[in-house]
Amino acid sequence: MQKKLRGKYPFVVCAVLVLLAAAVFAVRLADWQLVHGGEYKRLAERSTSFNADTPATRGEILDRNGVGLVTNITHYKIVFDKLYVDESKLDGTILLLSDLLKKTGDKWDNCLPVAVRDGGFVFRDDADEDDIDELKDTLDKGKDADARACFDALCKRYDISEKYSDEQRLTLASVRYGMELKDYSNSNPYTFASDISRDAVSAVSENTQGVGGVDVQTYLVRSAQNPTLAPHILGAMGAVTQEEYDALSYGAKHYEITDDVGKFGIEAAFEDELKGEGGTKIIQRNSDGTVVETVETINAQPGNTVYLTLDSKLQQVAVDSLARNVKAAQAEGKAESASTGKKLQGEDCETGAVVMLDVSDFSVLAAASFPTYDLNKYSDSYDYYTQLVEDKRSPMFDRAFSGTFACGSVFKPCVAMAALEEKVIKTDTKVFCTQKYDYYPSNVVECMHRHETMDLRGAITQSCNYFFAETGRKLGIDTMYLYAERFGLGEYTGLEVEESKGSLAGRDSTTWQPGNTVQAAIGQSDNAFTPVQLATYAATIANNGTRLKTHIVSKITDYERKTTIADYSKPEKTGECGVSEKNMKIVQDDMLSVARSEDGTAYKVFGNYRIKVAAKTGTAENSGSDHTTFICYAPYDKPKVAIAVVLEHGVRGKYSMQVAKDLMDAYFKS
């Protein structure tokens, strides 16, 4: 008997514990529901919380002097906040606001593709077919439904009174429809009108005193201050793709799938710095809808400000001069073609690029690509974007940083220094130019003139192809491209934004014959460099062979521009060209002769220029008219700036030289 009781003992204990636990829960439940139920109910009714996001402010982009390039401009909008709105008075409030805006000449945000015309209802002429289809789908109407049917369905859907006129009812239907499309809710206010005038701000503020839920708010619009100045460099924003979202989700900043991100240029390269962080606030209201408390739980943090090395004034000179000289080259080419009947005289010159560097640190002072385009229209207008895409000149292509071009004779100083350093030639080495260099019958090099006896000084000054074809043959392609690499040709320059690497003849060629070397020596063959590489090359010569990292970002500060977060102004060495001071000076003097000697190819533009300029001109064969190229640095004695210009199909060097001269005029004007 005792054994049986001992066997049942554990079950008895468990049963007692279960009963005790149930009793405790029963007592607690009775306390919640019977004793304090009314109190808890009143508390629940008295307070309902909603979370709302506060927007993030994106950092701005400035030039080296603090001039705004891409900034946030304050605008005004009228907002309905559902937490505060008296629904019974909403229709009257909507009509009041629409009348006020009509008087001030402003417009409210109308997304309904229906209008009143001649006493009837029609689909708006400017309405997109997709918007009309979306309206019909929302209302469960067939594709054949007309505007009147859609209007009647909207009035029924939103219980719009027939006491109003057709225009008033259409206004109410439009706003209500917009609220539905935009997910108007306690946590998502609805923008009734955006970008309103100051007159509208005053009128609405004066006439909505005591009207709950209507608020005039400021908001920031990101805008390029001079939208055609540097669109290729600044870049633009766009909706984040799934791939971008997945990649950005691993970063330090928080992203939503609805966010916009930088797509190219500085906006993309410095996305992590420019992006701000949104905040969160908790809004509490009681049972009658009155907001009793708003608490900011997470403060919004603006993005950082990015300073570029660009000088806005020099950039404007670059843009204007480039446009003017491309058009002048084309005009002269057309006139020449018309008078002689010959083609490829420059009539196809439509594009070009220029880059100006500060020799002290290889920072980009100006970089323009022609044709340019309007960055604000690019971001706001699909029709304008389509127009750009269809433009055969490819205005969205950044020729300054990403365009690669055969460089022609501007390559010769590099060959000269390499040949001197490798003892292939001396300063007194002489070559007899017969105009046609035919050492390799399959690669005959034509010279512009029959120069006859040429030494190095004369060959650079007058740009003798014959001399450099012979020099290049003796030097060899492997040695030639190794020195070119040291000068930054066919190499990334270090820019913070996208750039092309270019190509070096021999190193990057898929096939090679010995005869190709003589073409490479005069800047032809597979040599193709970007204008920024050519400017870096010129700056390296000016800097006595020390190549620095080319850069376009100066520093990063906090949004208020008070605290420097990162400073990029200190020069960063990337290499030495390996040419002795003696040999470097020889070629530098020869480049001065290009501009100062009466037989120099740049003499007509720079022979009497008030500042000594070291330069090299170039003409490069390609499909279409010849490209014209130009590199220089100045002042010769104490270099401050280096410039490279490429005019595609420009033929005549005077126009590329004039672009450089305009920039130097602006830089040295003081």
Side-chain angles (χ1 to χ4, degrees):
M1 183 69 176
Q2 289 179 348
K3 288 183 180 180
K4 289 182 180 181
L5 288 174
R6 282 198 299 270
K8 293 180 179 180
Y9 182 75
F11 296 103
V12 173
V13 172
C14 289
V16 171
L17 290 174
V18 170
L19 289 172
L20 285 172
V24 170
F25 281 119
V27 170
R28 190 61 178 152
L29 187 60
D31 178 68
W32 288 343
Q33 293 185 343
L34 301 178
V35 179
H36 296 99
E39 179 182 348
Y40 290 138
K41 181 180 180 182
R42 286 191 297 273
L43 285 172
E45 291 175 344
R46 191 162 61 233
S47 178
T48 305
S49 296
F50 299 92
N51 287 343
D53 294 330
T54 54
T57 300
R58 192 170 177 86
E60 297 182 321
I61 305 173
L62 315 177
D63 84 343
R64 69 191 299 126
N65 300 311
V67 175
L69 297 174
V70 178
T71 57
N72 300 316
I73 309 300
T74 300
H75 289 247
Y76 298 92
K77 62 181 178 180
I78 302 171
V79 173
F80 283 114
D81 193 330
K82 191 175 179 66
L83 285 169
Y84 300 86
V85 166
D86 184 342
E87 291 291 335
S88 66
K89 299 178 180 179
L90 181 56
D91 286 350
T93 302
I94 292 171
L95 295 177
L96 168 65
L97 292 173
S98 65
D99 288 341
L100 289 173
L101 294 187
K102 188 180 296 183
K103 292 176 182 177
T104 61
D106 292 86
K107 295 182 179 181
W108 47 276
D109 298 348
N110 183 5
C111 62
L112 185 65
V114 177
V116 176
R117 184 186 300 166
D118 300 328
F121 292 89
V122 296
F123 290 117
R124 282 167 31 197
D125 294 335
D126 62 346
D128 190 279
E129 287 295 329
D130 291 339
D131 294 334
I132 295 174
D133 291 341
E134 183 177 20
L135 173 63
K136 293 177 181 179
D137 290 342
T138 300
L139 299 173
D140 292 327
K141 293 292 181 181
K143 292 185 177 180
D144 296 330
D146 59 15
R148 177 78 211 198
C150 291
F151 171 74
D152 290 340
L154 287 166
C155 290
K156 182 178 180 181
R157 185 183 189 89
Y158 303 124
D159 193 24
I160 298 174
S161 173
E162 294 185 0
K163 69 179 181 180
Y164 299 115
S165 67
D166 283 348
E167 287 192 1
Q168 289 176 319
R169 296 175 76 206
L170 185 62
T171 297
L172 294 172
S174 175
V175 175
R176 296 282 192 172
Y177 178 63
M179 287 177 167
E180 183 175 352
L181 287 185
K182 300 295 184 181
D183 296 323
Y184 173 56
S185 66
N186 288 330
S187 58
N188 187 29
Y190 173 72
T191 299
F192 173 76
S194 54
D195 196 18
I196 62 173
S197 66
R198 290 187 176 274
D199 288 342
V201 171
S202 299
V204 172
S205 299
E206 291 172 6
N207 289 275
T208 57
Q209 296 290 331
V211 178
V214 177
D215 190 19
V216 176
Q217 297 179 356
T218 60
Y219 67 103
L220 299 176
V221 173
R222 194 165 185 79
S223 176
Q225 294 304 292
N226 186 342
T228 61
L229 188 66
H232 308 89
I233 296 170
L234 298 175
M237 305 283 291
V240 65
T241 64
Q242 184 63 54
E243 293 77 12
E244 289 170 333
Y245 176 74
D246 292 341
L248 291 167
S249 295
Y250 291 100
K253 300 291 180 72
H254 174 72
Y255 284 86
E256 299 289 346
I257 195 65
T258 55
D259 283 345
D260 285 343
V261 297
K263 290 296 184 177
F264 63 95
I266 295 295
E267 292 280 21
F270 287 83
E271 168 68 27
D272 193 53
E273 294 289 349
L274 292 166
K275 186 185 185 308
E277 289 281 29
T280 302
K281 60 183 178 181
I282 297 177
I283 302 170
Q284 291 186 330
R285 70 175 186 176
N286 60 22
S287 59
D288 66 6
T290 302
V291 173
V292 294
E293 187 178 23
T294 300
V295 180
E296 196 87 15
T297 58
I298 301 176
N299 293 324
Q301 298 293 326
N304 294 326
T305 295
V306 176
Y307 281 78
L308 303 188
T309 62
L310 289 179
D311 182 305
S312 294
K313 293 180 180 179
L314 291 174
Q315 180 70 12
Q316 189 65 65
V317 171
V319 170
D320 293 343
S321 180
L322 195 59
R324 185 168 56 251
N325 283 286
V326 165
K327 292 172 183 176
Q330 183 187 65
E332 184 170 344
K334 287 181 177 179
E336 180 73 13
S337 181
S339 64
T340 64
K342 296 179 181 179
K343 298 297 183 181
L344 306 182
Q345 300 301 303
E347 67 275 14
D348 49 345
C349 180
E350 297 182 313
T351 55
V354 57
V355 175
M356 183 184 204
L357 301 184
D358 185 327
V359 173
S360 68
D361 63 358
F362 284 32
S363 59
V364 180
L365 295 173
S369 179
F370 182 83
T372 186
Y373 61 97
D374 189 309
L375 188 57
N376 292 339
K377 287 183 180 179
Y378 168 89
S379 300
D380 296 338
S381 171
Y382 179 76
D383 289 341
Y384 182 71
Y385 173 78
T386 302
Q387 176 185 328
L388 293 176
V389 171
E390 294 175 349
D391 191 329
K392 63 184 179 66
R393 300 174 301 167
S394 302
M396 291 186 291
F397 179 56
D398 183 4
R399 290 172 169 81
F401 294 165
S402 296
T404 56
F405 308 97
C407 65
S409 295
V410 296
F411 188 61
K412 290 173 181 175
C414 173
V415 177
M417 284 183 278
L420 286 169
E421 196 66 27
E422 297 297 320
K423 297 180 172 52
V424 170
I425 61 171
K426 298 178 181 179
T427 55
D428 59 354
T429 296
K430 291 181 174 58
V431 174
F432 192 84
C433 169
T434 62
Q435 195 167 2
K436 283 191 177 183
Y437 182 84
D438 57 2
Y439 186 94
Y440 296 106
S442 61
N443 278 282
V444 176
V445 174
E446 295 274 355
C447 202
M448 292 294 292
H449 306 285
R450 181 186 171 91
H451 294 109
E452 298 189 350
T453 302
M454 279 274 109
D455 60 8
L456 179 59
R457 170 67 59 86
I460 291 181
T461 302
Q462 300 179 52
S463 201
C464 179
N465 285 344
Y466 195 107
F467 183 97
F468 279 96
E470 174 66 5
T471 301
R473 181 186 68 81
K474 292 180 178 179
L475 182 64
I477 190 61
D478 291 340
T479 304
M480 192 187 304
Y481 75 65
L482 285 174
Y483 276 89
E485 285 179 334
R486 295 173 186 173
F487 279 101
L489 298 173
E491 295 289 304
Y492 292 114
T493 67
L495 282 172
E496 296 87 346
V497 295
E498 184 177 354
E499 62 171 326
S500 296
K501 189 177 181 182
S503 64
L504 272 173
R507 185 195 71 180
D508 301 324
S509 301
T510 54
T511 60
W512 193 258
Q513 298 294 327
N516 299 146
T517 303
V518 298
Q519 293 290 340
I522 61 170
Q524 294 285 166
S525 184
D526 293 322
N527 284 323
F529 311 128
T530 64
V532 72
Q533 286 175 337
L534 293 176
T536 300
Y537 162 51
T540 303
I541 297 173
N543 205 34
N544 296 318
T546 299
R547 181 160 61 95
L548 306 177
K549 178 182 177 182
T550 305
H551 63 286
I552 198 167
V553 175
S554 172
K555 63 181 178 180
I556 297 173
T557 70
D558 64 344
Y559 188 79
E560 300 296 332
R561 312 176 192 177
K562 294 179 180 178
T563 303
T564 298
I565 296 170
D567 189 345
Y568 301 100
S569 60
K570 185 178 180 180
E572 184 178 334
K573 182 178 176 180
T574 58
E576 293 283 351
C577 68
V579 176
S580 69
E581 182 179 347
K582 176 185 175 182
N583 290 331
M584 180 70 65
K585 186 67 167 59
I586 290 169
V587 175
Q588 289 171 339
D589 287 345
D590 293 347
M591 291 177 68
L592 176 64
S593 179
V594 171
R596 287 296 195 187
S597 296
E598 290 187 7
D599 55 357
T601 54
Y603 180 77
K604 288 185 179 180
V605 177
F606 292 105
N608 297 312
Y609 195 62
R610 61 189 179 89
I611 296 167
K612 289 184 178 180
V613 177
K616 186 68 192 79
T617 59
T619 303
E621 296 177 358
N622 59 93
S623 60
S625 301
D626 292 344
H627 294 338
T628 176
T629 59
F630 183 71
I631 63 169
C632 68
Y633 65 86
Y636 169 74
D637 298 319
K638 294 182 179 180
K640 291 186 176 180
V641 296
I643 302 172
V645 184
V646 175
L647 297 190
E648 293 183 81
H649 313 301
V651 177
R652 297 162 188 84
K654 62 182 179 181
Y655 295 111
S656 57
M657 286 185 268
Q658 187 59 49
V659 175
K661 183 176 180 293
D662 288 343
L663 276 168
M664 283 189 280
D665 285 345
Y667 184 87
F668 294 113
K669 66 180 179 180
S670 57

